[in-house]
Short mmCIF file of all heavy atoms in Angstrom, two decimals:
data_model
loop_
_atom_site.label_atom_id
_atom_site.label_comp_id
_atom_site.label_asym_id
_atom_site.label_seq_id
_atom_site.Cartn_x
_atom_site.Cartn_y
_atom_site.Cartn_z
N PRO A 1 12.05 16.83 -29.66
CA PRO A 1 13.32 17.41 -29.22
C PRO A 1 14.46 16.40 -29.33
O PRO A 1 14.24 15.20 -29.30
CB PRO A 1 13.05 17.77 -27.77
CG PRO A 1 11.96 16.86 -27.34
CD PRO A 1 11.13 16.63 -28.57
N SER A 2 15.64 16.91 -29.47
CA SER A 2 16.82 16.06 -29.58
C SER A 2 17.27 15.58 -28.21
O SER A 2 17.11 16.28 -27.21
CB SER A 2 17.94 16.87 -30.24
OG SER A 2 19.13 16.13 -30.24
N PHE A 3 17.87 14.41 -28.17
CA PHE A 3 18.48 13.91 -26.95
C PHE A 3 19.93 14.38 -26.83
O PHE A 3 20.58 14.18 -25.83
CB PHE A 3 18.44 12.38 -26.90
CG PHE A 3 17.06 11.80 -26.79
CD1 PHE A 3 16.62 10.86 -27.69
CD2 PHE A 3 16.21 12.20 -25.77
CE1 PHE A 3 15.35 10.32 -27.59
CE2 PHE A 3 14.93 11.65 -25.66
CZ PHE A 3 14.51 10.71 -26.57
N LYS A 4 20.44 15.01 -27.89
CA LYS A 4 21.84 15.44 -27.93
C LYS A 4 22.10 16.49 -26.84
O LYS A 4 21.41 17.50 -26.76
CB LYS A 4 22.16 16.02 -29.30
CG LYS A 4 23.63 16.22 -29.52
CD LYS A 4 23.90 16.61 -30.96
CE LYS A 4 25.39 16.68 -31.19
NZ LYS A 4 25.69 17.01 -32.58
N GLY A 5 23.09 16.23 -26.00
CA GLY A 5 23.45 17.15 -24.94
C GLY A 5 22.48 17.20 -23.77
O GLY A 5 22.58 18.06 -22.91
N LEU A 6 21.54 16.28 -23.73
CA LEU A 6 20.51 16.29 -22.69
C LEU A 6 21.02 15.79 -21.34
O LEU A 6 20.68 16.36 -20.31
CB LEU A 6 19.32 15.44 -23.14
CG LEU A 6 18.13 15.36 -22.20
CD1 LEU A 6 17.49 16.74 -22.04
CD2 LEU A 6 17.10 14.37 -22.73
N PHE A 7 21.87 14.77 -21.36
CA PHE A 7 22.33 14.17 -20.10
C PHE A 7 23.13 15.18 -19.28
O PHE A 7 24.02 15.84 -19.77
CB PHE A 7 23.17 12.91 -20.34
CG PHE A 7 23.38 12.12 -19.08
CD1 PHE A 7 22.42 11.24 -18.65
CD2 PHE A 7 24.52 12.30 -18.33
CE1 PHE A 7 22.59 10.53 -17.47
CE2 PHE A 7 24.71 11.59 -17.16
CZ PHE A 7 23.74 10.70 -16.72
N GLY A 8 22.76 15.33 -18.02
CA GLY A 8 23.42 16.26 -17.12
C GLY A 8 22.81 17.65 -17.10
O GLY A 8 23.13 18.47 -16.25
N LYS A 9 21.91 17.91 -18.02
CA LYS A 9 21.26 19.21 -18.11
C LYS A 9 20.18 19.33 -17.03
O LYS A 9 19.60 18.34 -16.61
CB LYS A 9 20.62 19.32 -19.51
CG LYS A 9 20.04 20.66 -19.84
CD LYS A 9 19.53 20.64 -21.29
CE LYS A 9 18.83 21.94 -21.63
NZ LYS A 9 18.26 21.90 -22.97
N THR A 10 19.93 20.55 -16.59
CA THR A 10 18.84 20.81 -15.66
C THR A 10 17.65 21.35 -16.44
O THR A 10 17.80 22.29 -17.21
CB THR A 10 19.26 21.83 -14.58
OG1 THR A 10 20.36 21.27 -13.85
CG2 THR A 10 18.12 22.11 -13.61
N GLU A 11 16.51 20.73 -16.28
CA GLU A 11 15.30 21.10 -17.01
C GLU A 11 14.28 21.73 -16.06
O GLU A 11 14.10 21.26 -14.93
CB GLU A 11 14.66 19.87 -17.66
CG GLU A 11 15.49 19.24 -18.75
CD GLU A 11 15.44 19.99 -20.06
OE1 GLU A 11 14.80 21.06 -20.15
OE2 GLU A 11 16.05 19.50 -21.02
N GLU A 12 13.59 22.77 -16.54
CA GLU A 12 12.47 23.35 -15.80
C GLU A 12 11.25 22.48 -16.03
O GLU A 12 11.00 22.02 -17.14
CB GLU A 12 12.18 24.77 -16.29
CG GLU A 12 13.19 25.79 -15.87
CD GLU A 12 12.75 27.20 -16.25
OE1 GLU A 12 11.63 27.59 -15.90
OE2 GLU A 12 13.55 27.86 -16.93
N LEU A 13 10.48 22.27 -14.96
CA LEU A 13 9.31 21.40 -15.04
C LEU A 13 8.02 22.20 -15.01
O LEU A 13 7.96 23.29 -14.42
CB LEU A 13 9.32 20.42 -13.86
CG LEU A 13 10.55 19.52 -13.74
CD1 LEU A 13 10.45 18.68 -12.48
CD2 LEU A 13 10.72 18.64 -14.97
N GLU A 14 7.00 21.65 -15.64
CA GLU A 14 5.66 22.23 -15.56
C GLU A 14 5.25 22.26 -14.09
O GLU A 14 5.53 21.33 -13.34
CB GLU A 14 4.65 21.39 -16.35
CG GLU A 14 4.78 21.49 -17.85
CD GLU A 14 4.39 22.85 -18.40
OE1 GLU A 14 3.64 23.59 -17.74
OE2 GLU A 14 4.85 23.17 -19.50
N GLY A 15 4.63 23.33 -13.69
CA GLY A 15 4.19 23.44 -12.31
C GLY A 15 5.27 23.93 -11.36
O GLY A 15 5.05 24.00 -10.16
N GLY A 16 6.46 24.21 -11.89
CA GLY A 16 7.56 24.69 -11.06
C GLY A 16 8.56 23.61 -10.73
O GLY A 16 8.29 22.42 -10.86
N GLY A 17 9.70 24.02 -10.32
CA GLY A 17 10.76 23.09 -9.96
C GLY A 17 11.64 22.75 -11.14
O GLY A 17 11.37 23.15 -12.28
N THR A 18 12.69 22.01 -10.84
CA THR A 18 13.63 21.58 -11.86
C THR A 18 13.99 20.12 -11.64
O THR A 18 13.75 19.56 -10.57
CB THR A 18 14.94 22.42 -11.81
OG1 THR A 18 15.55 22.25 -10.54
CG2 THR A 18 14.68 23.89 -12.10
N ALA A 19 14.58 19.52 -12.65
CA ALA A 19 15.09 18.15 -12.56
C ALA A 19 16.38 18.07 -13.35
O ALA A 19 16.49 18.63 -14.43
CB ALA A 19 14.08 17.16 -13.11
N THR A 20 17.36 17.38 -12.78
CA THR A 20 18.60 17.12 -13.49
C THR A 20 18.44 15.83 -14.27
O THR A 20 17.98 14.82 -13.73
CB THR A 20 19.78 16.99 -12.50
OG1 THR A 20 19.88 18.21 -11.77
CG2 THR A 20 21.08 16.71 -13.23
N VAL A 21 18.80 15.87 -15.53
CA VAL A 21 18.68 14.70 -16.39
C VAL A 21 19.85 13.75 -16.09
O VAL A 21 20.95 13.92 -16.58
CB VAL A 21 18.66 15.09 -17.88
CG1 VAL A 21 18.51 13.85 -18.75
CG2 VAL A 21 17.53 16.07 -18.16
N ASP A 22 19.56 12.78 -15.23
CA ASP A 22 20.54 11.76 -14.86
C ASP A 22 19.90 10.39 -15.08
O ASP A 22 18.80 10.29 -15.65
CB ASP A 22 21.01 11.96 -13.42
CG ASP A 22 19.88 11.90 -12.39
OD1 ASP A 22 18.73 11.52 -12.74
OD2 ASP A 22 20.14 12.23 -11.22
N GLU A 23 20.60 9.35 -14.65
CA GLU A 23 20.07 7.99 -14.86
C GLU A 23 18.70 7.81 -14.24
O GLU A 23 17.80 7.22 -14.86
CB GLU A 23 21.04 6.94 -14.28
CG GLU A 23 22.33 6.78 -15.03
CD GLU A 23 23.45 7.66 -14.48
OE1 GLU A 23 23.18 8.59 -13.65
OE2 GLU A 23 24.60 7.45 -14.89
N ASN A 24 18.50 8.31 -13.02
CA ASN A 24 17.21 8.13 -12.35
C ASN A 24 16.09 8.87 -13.07
O ASN A 24 14.99 8.33 -13.23
CB ASN A 24 17.30 8.60 -10.89
CG ASN A 24 18.19 7.72 -10.07
OD1 ASN A 24 18.27 6.52 -10.28
ND2 ASN A 24 18.90 8.31 -9.12
N TYR A 25 16.36 10.10 -13.49
CA TYR A 25 15.35 10.89 -14.21
C TYR A 25 14.97 10.20 -15.52
O TYR A 25 13.79 10.10 -15.86
CB TYR A 25 15.87 12.30 -14.47
CG TYR A 25 14.94 13.10 -15.35
CD1 TYR A 25 13.85 13.76 -14.81
CD2 TYR A 25 15.14 13.18 -16.73
CE1 TYR A 25 12.98 14.49 -15.62
CE2 TYR A 25 14.28 13.91 -17.53
CZ TYR A 25 13.21 14.55 -16.97
OH TYR A 25 12.34 15.26 -17.78
N LEU A 26 15.97 9.73 -16.26
CA LEU A 26 15.68 9.08 -17.54
C LEU A 26 14.88 7.80 -17.35
O LEU A 26 13.92 7.54 -18.08
CB LEU A 26 16.97 8.80 -18.31
CG LEU A 26 17.68 10.03 -18.84
CD1 LEU A 26 19.05 9.66 -19.41
CD2 LEU A 26 16.84 10.74 -19.91
N LYS A 27 15.25 7.00 -16.35
CA LYS A 27 14.52 5.76 -16.10
C LYS A 27 13.07 6.07 -15.74
O LYS A 27 12.14 5.45 -16.26
CB LYS A 27 15.18 4.95 -14.98
CG LYS A 27 14.51 3.62 -14.73
CD LYS A 27 15.27 2.78 -13.73
CE LYS A 27 14.60 1.43 -13.57
NZ LYS A 27 15.36 0.56 -12.67
N GLU A 28 12.88 7.06 -14.86
CA GLU A 28 11.51 7.44 -14.49
C GLU A 28 10.74 7.95 -15.70
O GLU A 28 9.56 7.63 -15.88
CB GLU A 28 11.55 8.52 -13.41
CG GLU A 28 10.16 8.97 -12.97
CD GLU A 28 10.21 10.04 -11.90
OE1 GLU A 28 11.04 10.97 -12.00
OE2 GLU A 28 9.39 9.96 -10.97
N SER A 29 11.40 8.71 -16.55
CA SER A 29 10.73 9.27 -17.73
C SER A 29 10.33 8.19 -18.74
O SER A 29 9.33 8.33 -19.42
CB SER A 29 11.62 10.31 -18.40
OG SER A 29 11.80 11.42 -17.54
N ILE A 30 11.12 7.14 -18.82
CA ILE A 30 10.80 6.04 -19.73
C ILE A 30 9.64 5.20 -19.17
O ILE A 30 8.73 4.82 -19.90
CB ILE A 30 12.05 5.16 -19.98
CG1 ILE A 30 13.09 5.95 -20.78
CG2 ILE A 30 11.68 3.86 -20.68
CD1 ILE A 30 14.46 5.30 -20.83
N LEU A 31 9.68 4.94 -17.87
CA LEU A 31 8.69 4.05 -17.26
C LEU A 31 7.44 4.78 -16.78
O LEU A 31 6.37 4.19 -16.71
CB LEU A 31 9.34 3.28 -16.11
CG LEU A 31 10.53 2.40 -16.51
CD1 LEU A 31 11.13 1.75 -15.28
CD2 LEU A 31 10.14 1.38 -17.56
N ASN A 32 7.57 6.06 -16.42
CA ASN A 32 6.43 6.85 -15.92
C ASN A 32 6.57 8.27 -16.48
O ASN A 32 6.89 9.20 -15.74
CB ASN A 32 6.42 6.85 -14.39
CG ASN A 32 5.22 7.56 -13.82
OD1 ASN A 32 4.26 7.85 -14.52
ND2 ASN A 32 5.28 7.86 -12.54
N PRO A 33 6.35 8.43 -17.78
CA PRO A 33 6.63 9.71 -18.43
C PRO A 33 5.82 10.89 -17.93
O PRO A 33 6.22 12.04 -18.12
CB PRO A 33 6.35 9.43 -19.91
CG PRO A 33 5.45 8.25 -19.93
CD PRO A 33 5.81 7.45 -18.71
N GLY A 34 4.72 10.67 -17.27
CA GLY A 34 3.91 11.77 -16.76
C GLY A 34 4.36 12.30 -15.41
O GLY A 34 3.81 13.27 -14.91
N ALA A 35 5.37 11.68 -14.82
CA ALA A 35 5.81 12.06 -13.47
C ALA A 35 6.42 13.46 -13.43
O ALA A 35 6.14 14.23 -12.52
CB ALA A 35 6.80 11.04 -12.92
N LYS A 36 7.26 13.77 -14.40
CA LYS A 36 7.93 15.08 -14.45
C LYS A 36 7.93 15.56 -15.89
O LYS A 36 8.69 15.06 -16.71
CB LYS A 36 9.37 14.96 -13.93
CG LYS A 36 9.45 14.61 -12.47
CD LYS A 36 10.88 14.48 -12.00
CE LYS A 36 10.89 14.06 -10.54
NZ LYS A 36 12.04 13.23 -10.23
N ILE A 37 7.07 16.51 -16.17
CA ILE A 37 6.92 17.03 -17.53
C ILE A 37 7.78 18.28 -17.69
O ILE A 37 7.69 19.21 -16.90
CB ILE A 37 5.45 17.37 -17.84
CG1 ILE A 37 4.54 16.17 -17.58
CG2 ILE A 37 5.29 17.90 -19.26
CD1 ILE A 37 4.84 14.98 -18.45
N VAL A 38 8.62 18.28 -18.72
CA VAL A 38 9.47 19.44 -18.99
C VAL A 38 8.59 20.58 -19.49
O VAL A 38 7.71 20.40 -20.34
CB VAL A 38 10.56 19.09 -20.02
CG1 VAL A 38 11.36 20.32 -20.41
CG2 VAL A 38 11.49 18.02 -19.47
N LYS A 39 8.84 21.76 -18.92
CA LYS A 39 8.08 22.95 -19.27
C LYS A 39 8.15 23.20 -20.78
O LYS A 39 9.22 23.14 -21.37
CB LYS A 39 8.64 24.15 -18.51
CG LYS A 39 7.81 25.39 -18.61
CD LYS A 39 8.37 26.47 -17.69
CE LYS A 39 7.45 27.67 -17.69
NZ LYS A 39 7.91 28.67 -16.72
N GLY A 40 6.98 23.45 -21.36
CA GLY A 40 6.91 23.76 -22.78
C GLY A 40 6.67 22.57 -23.68
O GLY A 40 6.54 22.71 -24.89
N TYR A 41 6.63 21.37 -23.10
CA TYR A 41 6.39 20.16 -23.90
C TYR A 41 5.10 19.49 -23.44
O TYR A 41 4.81 19.44 -22.25
CB TYR A 41 7.55 19.17 -23.77
CG TYR A 41 8.79 19.64 -24.48
CD1 TYR A 41 9.77 20.35 -23.80
CD2 TYR A 41 8.99 19.39 -25.83
CE1 TYR A 41 10.91 20.80 -24.44
CE2 TYR A 41 10.12 19.83 -26.48
CZ TYR A 41 11.07 20.53 -25.78
OH TYR A 41 12.21 20.97 -26.42
N PRO A 42 4.33 18.94 -24.38
CA PRO A 42 3.09 18.26 -23.98
C PRO A 42 3.40 16.91 -23.33
O PRO A 42 4.45 16.32 -23.59
CB PRO A 42 2.36 18.06 -25.31
CG PRO A 42 3.45 18.01 -26.34
CD PRO A 42 4.52 18.94 -25.83
N ALA A 43 2.52 16.45 -22.50
CA ALA A 43 2.65 15.13 -21.86
C ALA A 43 2.12 14.08 -22.82
O ALA A 43 1.03 13.56 -22.65
CB ALA A 43 1.90 15.11 -20.54
N SER A 44 2.90 13.78 -23.85
CA SER A 44 2.40 12.87 -24.89
C SER A 44 3.20 11.57 -25.03
O SER A 44 2.83 10.71 -25.82
CB SER A 44 2.40 13.60 -26.24
OG SER A 44 3.70 14.03 -26.57
N MET A 45 4.27 11.42 -24.27
CA MET A 45 5.07 10.20 -24.38
C MET A 45 4.34 9.03 -23.72
O MET A 45 3.86 9.16 -22.59
CB MET A 45 6.44 10.39 -23.72
CG MET A 45 7.35 9.19 -23.87
SD MET A 45 9.00 9.59 -23.27
CE MET A 45 9.55 7.98 -22.77
N PRO A 46 4.27 7.89 -24.40
CA PRO A 46 3.63 6.72 -23.78
C PRO A 46 4.58 6.08 -22.77
O PRO A 46 5.79 6.27 -22.82
CB PRO A 46 3.40 5.78 -24.97
CG PRO A 46 4.50 6.12 -25.92
CD PRO A 46 4.72 7.61 -25.76
N THR A 47 4.03 5.29 -21.88
CA THR A 47 4.86 4.56 -20.93
C THR A 47 5.42 3.30 -21.58
O THR A 47 4.78 2.71 -22.46
CB THR A 47 4.07 4.17 -19.67
OG1 THR A 47 4.96 3.51 -18.77
CG2 THR A 47 2.89 3.29 -19.96
N PHE A 48 6.61 2.93 -21.17
CA PHE A 48 7.21 1.69 -21.64
C PHE A 48 7.32 0.68 -20.50
O PHE A 48 7.99 -0.34 -20.64
CB PHE A 48 8.57 1.97 -22.28
CG PHE A 48 8.44 2.69 -23.59
CD1 PHE A 48 8.45 4.06 -23.65
CD2 PHE A 48 8.26 1.98 -24.76
CE1 PHE A 48 8.30 4.73 -24.86
CE2 PHE A 48 8.10 2.62 -25.98
CZ PHE A 48 8.12 4.00 -26.02
N LYS A 49 6.63 0.98 -19.38
CA LYS A 49 6.61 0.08 -18.24
C LYS A 49 5.97 -1.23 -18.66
O LYS A 49 4.90 -1.26 -19.26
CB LYS A 49 5.82 0.71 -17.09
CG LYS A 49 5.92 -0.06 -15.81
CD LYS A 49 5.25 0.72 -14.70
CE LYS A 49 5.51 0.02 -13.37
NZ LYS A 49 4.98 0.80 -12.27
N GLY A 50 6.65 -2.33 -18.37
CA GLY A 50 6.15 -3.65 -18.74
C GLY A 50 6.48 -4.06 -20.16
O GLY A 50 6.27 -5.19 -20.54
N LEU A 51 6.99 -3.11 -20.95
CA LEU A 51 7.34 -3.41 -22.34
C LEU A 51 8.84 -3.59 -22.53
O LEU A 51 9.27 -4.28 -23.45
CB LEU A 51 6.85 -2.29 -23.27
CG LEU A 51 5.34 -2.06 -23.28
CD1 LEU A 51 5.01 -0.84 -24.13
CD2 LEU A 51 4.62 -3.29 -23.81
N LEU A 52 9.62 -2.93 -21.67
CA LEU A 52 11.08 -3.02 -21.75
C LEU A 52 11.63 -3.69 -20.50
O LEU A 52 11.15 -3.44 -19.40
CB LEU A 52 11.69 -1.61 -21.87
CG LEU A 52 11.34 -0.81 -23.11
CD1 LEU A 52 11.95 0.59 -23.00
CD2 LEU A 52 11.83 -1.50 -24.36
N LYS A 53 12.63 -4.50 -20.69
CA LYS A 53 13.32 -5.11 -19.55
C LYS A 53 14.31 -4.09 -18.98
O LYS A 53 14.69 -3.13 -19.66
CB LYS A 53 14.06 -6.37 -20.00
CG LYS A 53 13.11 -7.44 -20.49
CD LYS A 53 13.86 -8.64 -20.97
CE LYS A 53 12.84 -9.67 -21.46
NZ LYS A 53 13.46 -10.85 -21.99
N ASP A 54 14.73 -4.31 -17.74
CA ASP A 54 15.68 -3.39 -17.10
C ASP A 54 16.93 -3.19 -17.95
O ASP A 54 17.42 -2.07 -18.07
CB ASP A 54 16.07 -3.90 -15.71
CG ASP A 54 14.98 -3.69 -14.67
OD1 ASP A 54 14.09 -2.84 -14.89
OD2 ASP A 54 15.04 -4.35 -13.62
N LYS A 55 17.44 -4.27 -18.54
CA LYS A 55 18.66 -4.15 -19.34
C LYS A 55 18.42 -3.28 -20.58
O LYS A 55 19.32 -2.59 -21.04
CB LYS A 55 19.22 -5.52 -19.72
CG LYS A 55 18.35 -6.30 -20.68
CD LYS A 55 19.00 -7.62 -21.06
CE LYS A 55 18.10 -8.31 -22.08
NZ LYS A 55 18.74 -9.44 -22.70
N ASP A 56 17.20 -3.30 -21.12
CA ASP A 56 16.87 -2.46 -22.27
C ASP A 56 16.83 -0.98 -21.88
O ASP A 56 17.34 -0.12 -22.60
CB ASP A 56 15.53 -2.87 -22.87
CG ASP A 56 15.53 -4.29 -23.40
OD1 ASP A 56 16.57 -4.73 -23.93
OD2 ASP A 56 14.49 -4.97 -23.27
N VAL A 57 16.25 -0.69 -20.72
CA VAL A 57 16.19 0.68 -20.22
C VAL A 57 17.62 1.17 -19.95
O VAL A 57 17.98 2.30 -20.32
CB VAL A 57 15.31 0.78 -18.96
CG1 VAL A 57 15.39 2.16 -18.34
CG2 VAL A 57 13.87 0.42 -19.28
N GLU A 58 18.43 0.33 -19.34
CA GLU A 58 19.82 0.69 -19.06
C GLU A 58 20.59 0.96 -20.35
O GLU A 58 21.41 1.88 -20.41
CB GLU A 58 20.50 -0.41 -18.25
CG GLU A 58 19.96 -0.52 -16.83
CD GLU A 58 20.39 -1.79 -16.11
OE1 GLU A 58 21.27 -2.52 -16.62
OE2 GLU A 58 19.86 -2.04 -15.02
N ALA A 59 20.33 0.18 -21.39
CA ALA A 59 21.00 0.39 -22.68
C ALA A 59 20.58 1.72 -23.31
O ALA A 59 21.40 2.44 -23.88
CB ALA A 59 20.69 -0.77 -23.63
N LEU A 60 19.30 2.05 -23.22
CA LEU A 60 18.82 3.35 -23.73
C LEU A 60 19.49 4.51 -23.00
O LEU A 60 19.92 5.49 -23.62
CB LEU A 60 17.30 3.46 -23.59
CG LEU A 60 16.47 2.67 -24.58
CD1 LEU A 60 15.01 2.65 -24.14
CD2 LEU A 60 16.61 3.25 -25.97
N ILE A 61 19.59 4.39 -21.69
CA ILE A 61 20.21 5.45 -20.89
C ILE A 61 21.69 5.57 -21.24
O ILE A 61 22.21 6.67 -21.42
CB ILE A 61 20.00 5.18 -19.38
CG1 ILE A 61 18.52 5.34 -19.04
CG2 ILE A 61 20.86 6.11 -18.54
CD1 ILE A 61 18.13 4.84 -17.66
N ALA A 62 22.37 4.45 -21.38
CA ALA A 62 23.80 4.46 -21.76
C ALA A 62 23.97 5.15 -23.11
O ALA A 62 24.91 5.94 -23.32
CB ALA A 62 24.35 3.05 -21.79
N TYR A 63 23.08 4.87 -24.05
CA TYR A 63 23.15 5.52 -25.37
C TYR A 63 22.94 7.02 -25.24
O TYR A 63 23.68 7.80 -25.83
CB TYR A 63 22.10 4.90 -26.30
CG TYR A 63 21.96 5.67 -27.59
CD1 TYR A 63 22.98 5.64 -28.54
CD2 TYR A 63 20.83 6.42 -27.86
CE1 TYR A 63 22.87 6.35 -29.72
CE2 TYR A 63 20.71 7.14 -29.03
CZ TYR A 63 21.73 7.09 -29.96
OH TYR A 63 21.62 7.82 -31.13
N MET A 64 21.93 7.44 -24.47
CA MET A 64 21.66 8.88 -24.33
C MET A 64 22.85 9.62 -23.71
O MET A 64 23.11 10.77 -24.04
CB MET A 64 20.40 9.10 -23.50
CG MET A 64 19.14 8.78 -24.26
SD MET A 64 17.70 9.24 -23.28
CE MET A 64 16.60 7.93 -23.70
N LYS A 65 23.59 8.93 -22.83
CA LYS A 65 24.76 9.55 -22.20
C LYS A 65 25.87 9.81 -23.22
O LYS A 65 26.70 10.68 -23.00
CB LYS A 65 25.27 8.65 -21.07
CG LYS A 65 24.34 8.65 -19.86
CD LYS A 65 24.72 7.60 -18.85
CE LYS A 65 25.94 7.94 -18.07
NZ LYS A 65 26.21 6.97 -16.99
N THR A 66 25.88 9.08 -24.32
CA THR A 66 26.93 9.27 -25.33
C THR A 66 26.65 10.44 -26.26
O THR A 66 27.53 10.87 -26.99
CB THR A 66 27.13 8.00 -26.20
OG1 THR A 66 25.98 7.81 -27.04
CG2 THR A 66 27.37 6.77 -25.35
N LEU A 67 25.42 10.93 -26.25
CA LEU A 67 25.03 12.00 -27.18
C LEU A 67 25.40 13.36 -26.58
O LEU A 67 24.64 13.98 -25.87
CB LEU A 67 23.52 11.93 -27.45
CG LEU A 67 23.02 10.62 -28.04
CD1 LEU A 67 21.51 10.62 -28.11
CD2 LEU A 67 23.62 10.39 -29.40
N THR A 68 26.60 13.80 -26.89
CA THR A 68 27.10 15.05 -26.34
C THR A 68 26.88 16.18 -27.34
O THR A 68 26.54 15.95 -28.50
CB THR A 68 28.59 14.94 -26.01
OG1 THR A 68 29.30 14.61 -27.20
CG2 THR A 68 28.84 13.88 -24.95
N ASN A 69 27.09 17.38 -26.86
CA ASN A 69 26.91 18.57 -27.72
C ASN A 69 27.77 18.53 -28.93
O ASN A 69 28.72 18.17 -29.19
CB ASN A 69 27.20 19.85 -26.93
CG ASN A 69 26.10 20.09 -25.91
OD1 ASN A 69 24.96 19.68 -26.09
ND2 ASN A 69 26.45 20.74 -24.84
#
């Protein structure tokens, strides 16, 4: 799936509930991708915990915020 227009969007989660795609959600998804799985997508993303520094995660999130519709 594309990251374009993702920031600020509300996603339906497997098992019920929703999550707003914000800085906290993106950080959690990068470091613990199995925590909140978007409905309709497989839980196949690997974790980047221990592989990326905080500044790298912050840079990825900043980039995703620039990808508008």
